[in-house]
Amino acid sequence: MTASPANNMDVKRRNRVNTLRCILKSDRVSQMELTQRLALSWPTILQNVKELTELGLVREDGMYASTGGRKARAYAPVRDARVAVGVDLTRDRVVVVLTDLSGNLLHQATGALRFSMENIYFQYLGGLLRRFVDANGAEDRLLGIGLALPGVVDEERGILRDSRDLELRNVPLSRFTQQFPWPCRCLSSAHAAGLAEFCAMKTQEDMVSLSLGDTVGGAILRDGGLHRGDHLRAGEFGHMTLVPGGRRCRCGKDGCLDAYCSAKVLADHAGGSLSAFFEELRSGDAEKREIWREYLEYLAVAVNNLRLSFDCGVVIGGAVGAYLEEFGELLRALLAERNPYERDTAYLRYGRRPQEAAAVGAAMVQVEAFLQGV
């Protein structure tokens, strides 16, 4: 059976997109390396590289040294040919980032801004973004805005279904984006943070993320993409019951993981400052050491449950995740004791984007939409 012209076009587009993805993962690559990595023919790679070069997304980068035959031409990505802005909006602050096509952080701005549904708040937010884009000379390369919101985001219906953090239900997403003069896509903060961590690790393996910020959230990477679930709540690990009848959670239920493992749990023991808590822990404070041990015991239960439920890698990010490289040895020991099948904790990784993860992940949604259409 002969393939239809439409199918041929889809195959060509997919091959071109995969070629660009491969080049974006490399600082410098030859056509031969591309043919080997992608299992595509030499003429196909040659045509794809030519088209991507004409689009300004790839450039020639000299020649490789000869190995006896004709020298191979080298190609490099033009990662900043297009850029995207990501915004992480929370109850008390706004984080704005500018990323390139590989998700590299080019510029960042963070400021305290108390959330409000008043028009003046959205006007200020719109002005902040316009000034940020202008200051960084991004207007002519900008793909659009990615907006991360705390809660359940239903982009198909265009609503923020439920945000306990902002105390909102069924609010049109257009309310948040009305002051943005560029295309905007919205997703939940937890999913955005997970996406950023997945992209930073450059993996296509299934993985779950657990984000330990002022609230606890998570995301599930399955088959190379985010798994959102039947009701867009996949990864709401913060509201798994950890201790039946335990501490009251902000959601109104008792014993949620959020009530035991949010960054706020630690910060509240150091005048509201997470960094101060770890400074005191670093100095050997006995009280902080006991608090940290109790925190890790609860965290180990949660991580072990994720490992046994999904049987894949687990990455811990968020504000607390940034400290685990230094203070996480006990966590690994607790995990080795708790898991009945394995003592090796190599499946556990620590996040690489502690503060700006949700904003970067939101920007990557715009990047991904662009790559799919190349």
Side-chain angles (χ1 to χ4, degrees):
M1 182 180 294
T2 304
S4 71
N7 287 340
N8 283 334
M9 291 297 293
D10 287 341
V11 170
K12 289 180 179 179
R13 183 192 60 77
R14 186 164 59 249
N15 287 340
R16 185 168 58 244
V17 170
N18 288 338
T19 301
L20 177 56
R21 289 187 192 279
C22 190
I23 295 173
L24 285 171
K25 293 177 181 177
S26 310
D27 290 329
R28 197 166 183 256
V29 65
S30 70
Q31 287 177 216
M32 179 61 72
E33 289 172 316
L34 289 171
T35 61
Q36 293 171 345
R37 294 177 190 178
L38 296 170
L40 295 174
S41 69
W42 182 277
T44 297
I45 291 295
L46 185 64
Q47 181 62 28
N48 289 343
V49 169
K50 178 176 181 293
E51 293 173 357
L52 293 170
T53 300
E54 291 172 350
L55 290 171
L57 302 175
V58 172
R59 63 179 176 83
E60 289 191 20
D61 190 34
M63 309 289 284
Y64 281 93
S66 175
T67 57
R70 188 168 58 180
K71 290 182 179 180
R73 185 174 285 111
Y75 295 94
V78 185
R79 293 189 172 96
D80 62 353
R82 303 287 189 279
V83 294
V85 167
V87 181
D88 179 22
L89 188 156
T90 72
R91 186 191 308 190
D92 299 308
R93 69 184 178 122
V94 172
V95 178
V96 184
V97 302
L98 186 72
T99 73
D100 64 17
L101 291 174
S102 292
N104 296 315
L105 186 61
L106 303 178
H107 299 283
Q108 176 180 352
T110 304
L113 184 62
R114 184 70 179 177
F115 177 76
S116 167
M117 285 297 290
E118 299 294 328
N119 285 334
I120 191 170
Y121 174 89
F122 297 109
Q123 290 168 0
Y124 180 85
L125 185 61
L128 175 69
L129 287 184
R130 285 190 289 271
R131 291 191 297 274
F132 180 81
V133 170
D134 184 61
N136 294 301
E139 176 78 46
D140 59 341
R141 297 173 292 146
L142 186 62
L143 297 173
I145 309 293
L147 177 61
L149 295 168
V152 180
V153 175
D154 187 341
E155 193 169 31
E156 185 174 332
R157 293 174 56 198
I159 60 171
L160 175 62
R161 279 196 200 169
D162 189 345
S163 175
R164 307 299 169 91
D165 197 43
L166 302 181
E167 299 180 354
L168 298 175
R169 287 181 63 86
N170 296 323
V171 176
L173 295 176
S174 59
R175 189 83 173 89
F176 297 91
T177 64
Q178 59 185 322
Q179 296 292 329
F180 301 167
W182 305 284
C184 185
R185 303 186 66 143
C186 303
L187 75 165
S188 80
S189 301
H191 287 172
L195 183 61
E197 297 293 3
F198 298 146
C199 290
M201 292 182 179
K202 296 184 170 72
T203 180
Q204 290 299 307
E205 299 173 2
D206 289 356
M207 186 174 292
V208 295
S209 76
L210 183 64
S211 180
L212 306 176
D214 289 342
T215 60
V216 176
I220 303 166
L221 182 73
R222 180 181 293 170
D223 299 327
L226 280 174
H227 174 67
R228 291 180 168 84
D230 293 342
H231 302 92
L232 307 175
R233 295 193 295 263
E236 281 285 354
F237 304 134
H239 298 294
M240 299 187 302
T241 301
L242 186 69
V243 181
R247 299 173 189 169
R248 178 56 59 99
C249 178
R250 62 192 174 89
C251 73
K253 305 299 182 181
D254 295 331
C256 295
L257 176 61
D258 194 288
Y260 290 85
C261 289
S262 74
K264 191 175 184 299
V265 169
L266 300 174
D268 283 349
H269 290 283
S273 170
L274 186 65
S275 61
F277 175 89
F278 282 102
E279 278 299 322
E280 293 179 40
L281 182 63
R282 192 176 287 115
S283 68
D285 185 289
E287 180 188 7
K288 299 303 185 294
R289 192 162 54 240
E290 186 58 34
I291 291 168
W292 179 237
R293 180 179 182 86
E294 179 186 62
Y295 180 95
L296 290 183
E297 286 173 346
Y298 288 124
L299 181 59
V301 173
V303 172
N304 187 60
N305 287 344
L306 294 178
R307 175 63 171 174
L308 293 175
S309 297
F310 294 94
D311 194 25
C312 65
V314 179
V315 56
I316 302 180
V320 178
Y323 292 95
L324 287 174
E325 196 73 54
E326 181 179 358
F327 297 104
E329 184 178 351
L330 176 57
L331 174 61
R332 291 190 181 277
L334 292 169
L335 287 171
E337 291 175 5
R338 184 164 290 279
N339 193 305
Y341 300 108
E342 58 187 347
R343 294 189 61 82
D344 184 359
T345 62
Y347 67 84
L348 177 65
R349 307 181 196 179
Y350 303 135
R352 302 180 183 182
R353 302 183 185 276
Q355 303 299 332
E356 74 284 351
V360 170
M364 290 306 294
V365 171
Q366 287 287 7
V367 170
E368 182 60 27
F370 170 74
L371 293 180
Q372 290 288 351
V374 168

